[in-house]
Amino acid sequence: MAEAYITNLQADTCSNDRRAKQQALSSLHATMETALVSTQDSQQDIQNMVVGVVPDLLLCTQNPMDQVREESVQLLTRCVQSVSVVPVTVFDTITHQGLERFQPGVEPTEETRLAWVMLVHTALLHTQPQQLETVLAIVQRTLVDTFPGVQKQGACLLATAARHAPVLMGYAGERPVKMTLGWLYHHHAAVRVLGLEPMRSLSLCP
């Protein structure tokens, strides 16, 4: 079962056990992928499995190995994509963990930070959020990220949030608009362009 491989990853935290972690992660990918594409399982069965493994996979995103953290986030994204509806509690858990990983100095790997924004973006599309505060806080962090890919995905996340939950975005007042101005007034033209889509989407919010 996938849980067994996750347990191996969590219990094996010494740097000299790199090979064991990689093998466990590869086996976990294979096990989860087989389960997710199985035609024998109903959508409810898949959702129950995903909900069950999300907390353990989130623990793996704190692993000291860069590869384990990045691939765990990618696997979480794959899990979220496999269900039609992500429970709000799962969405909130994912976004809160994502915000923690975006605190200064917590997640050093650019690709993993990018994977986190993509995970939150995917989860947002599969749920009906009750609040956007955590999502907006993550977007705020992407504004000052040193990795251009993270900034670009942050702009996509804000635009999607405005289209997917316009009423909730309207409750946020001027905050998201001010975020967009951070892109629009940037000294690099390539970054300024990023602000166009979220500003367009925000203009349609009530």
Side-chain angles (χ1 to χ4, degrees):
M1 289 295 294
E3 290 86 347
Y5 294 113
I6 294 173
T7 300
N8 289 341
L9 283 172
Q10 293 170 352
D12 193 9
T13 56
C14 299
S15 59
N16 61 347
D17 290 321
R18 179 181 299 270
R19 184 177 179 182
K21 287 190 184 72
Q22 291 173 335
Q23 289 177 340
L25 190 61
S26 296
S27 297
L28 173 60
H29 269 279
T31 300
M32 292 294 293
E33 192 63 29
T34 299
L36 293 176
V37 300
S38 174
T39 57
Q40 298 178 351
D41 295 326
S42 67
Q43 180 62 214
Q44 187 61 51
D45 290 334
I46 294 175
Q47 178 158 320
N48 290 341
M49 181 192 69
V50 169
V51 170
V53 301
V54 161
D56 291 322
L57 280 173
L58 286 173
L59 286 177
C60 291
T61 65
Q62 304 175 46
N63 192 280
M65 278 186 60
D66 294 345
Q67 181 188 5
V68 171
R69 294 197 309 276
E70 181 180 356
E71 293 195 25
S72 296
V73 178
Q74 292 172 345
L75 186 52
L76 278 163
T77 302
R78 178 68 182 89
C79 288
V80 168
Q81 290 172 334
S82 71
V83 296
S84 56
V85 178
V86 174
V88 172
T89 53
V90 173
F91 174 75
D92 288 342
T93 300
I94 289 174
T95 54
H96 279 96
Q97 178 75 1
L99 181 57
E100 282 188 26
R101 300 306 298 175
F102 262 94
Q103 297 305 309
V106 174
E107 178 48 69
T109 308
E110 295 175 340
E111 290 78 7
T112 304
R113 295 199 303 275
L114 175 59
W116 264 112
V117 187
M118 296 176 70
L119 168 59
V120 172
H121 185 273
T122 303
L124 177 62
L125 289 173
H126 285 256
T127 194
Q128 292 297 324
Q130 295 180 349
Q131 55 85 24
L132 290 176
E133 282 301 310
T134 313
V135 172
L136 291 176
I138 292 173
V139 171
Q140 187 73 58
R141 291 291 180 182
T142 68
L143 273 168
V144 296
D145 199 279
T146 57
F147 187 38
V150 170
Q151 293 186 20
K152 181 178 181 179
Q153 195 61 39
C156 291
L157 175 58
L158 181 57
T160 296
R163 291 192 299 266
H164 187 67
V167 175
L168 290 179
M169 188 62 74
Y171 293 157
E174 298 180 354
R175 183 183 178 191
V177 174
K178 290 180 179 179
M179 290 181 187
T180 304
L181 295 178
W183 286 299
L184 292 175
Y185 287 107
H186 199 276
H187 58 282
H188 289 306
V191 177
R192 291 198 296 272
V193 172
L194 297 179
L196 296 178
E197 185 58 31
M199 183 61 81
R200 186 181 298 113
S201 299
L202 287 169
S203 68
L204 300 176
C205 293

